[in-house]
């Protein structure tokens, strides 16, 4: 399996994991907490696996960057986090940086 595809799965699990932390705060539950912990292990394992084919710095920057964008969008959609021009501009810069790293790899 391609390192880039594995990295995409790692980004997805990163987003779900971070959003699950917010859910644990809203709906405290041992099961949600356990799910959060398991997602964390899966997330790190996928990132590590992706780094077999992708430079570590590139993989990590893409993982954190797209994870931050995904969590921000998820927070806006599901938790009513604020959306304004400054946030959109900053998210755009993160996406531009991620695209630059992908192109440079």
């Amino acid at each position: 399996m391609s390192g880039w595809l594995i990295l995409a799965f790692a980004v997805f699990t990163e987003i779900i994991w971070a959003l699950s932390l917010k859910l644990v705060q809203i709906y405290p539950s041992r099961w949600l907490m356990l799910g959060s912990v398991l997602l964390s292990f899966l997330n790190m394992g996928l990132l590590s696996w992706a780094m077999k084919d992708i430079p570590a710095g590139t993989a990590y920057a893409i993982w954190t960057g797209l994870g931050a964008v995904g969590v921000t969008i998820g927070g806006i959609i599901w938790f009513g986090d604020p959306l304004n021009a400054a946030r959109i501009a900053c998210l755009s810069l993160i996406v531009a940086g991620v695209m630059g790293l992908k192109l440079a790899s």
Side-chain angles (χ1 to χ4, degrees):
M1 190 180 297
S2 163
W4 292 105
L5 183 58
I6 295 165
L7 184 59
F9 285 122
V11 168
F12 178 75
T13 59
E14 169 77 0
I15 293 166
I16 300 303
W17 167 76
L19 292 172
S20 77
L21 295 177
K22 178 73 172 185
L23 276 177
V24 167
Q25 296 306 308
I26 296 170
Y27 307 107
S29 154
R30 289 182 187 160
W31 293 110
L32 281 176
M33 180 62 80
L34 177 61
S36 222
V37 169
L38 293 176
L39 278 169
S40 179
F41 283 109
L42 176 61
N43 172 355
M44 293 294 167
L46 288 168
L47 176 61
S48 176
W49 189 12
M51 286 181 180
K52 289 170 81 175
D53 298 328
I54 302 169
T58 301
Y60 184 74
I62 290 172
W63 178 73
T64 57
L66 292 182
V69 170
V71 171
T72 301
I73 292 169
I76 291 165
I77 293 169
W78 291 299
F79 302 120
D81 291 352
L83 175 62
N84 56 46
R87 291 186 96 195
I88 292 170
C90 291
L91 291 173
S92 299
L93 289 171
I94 293 170
V95 170
V98 165
M99 289 172 46
L101 283 170
K102 170 67 170 112
L103 293 172
S105 288

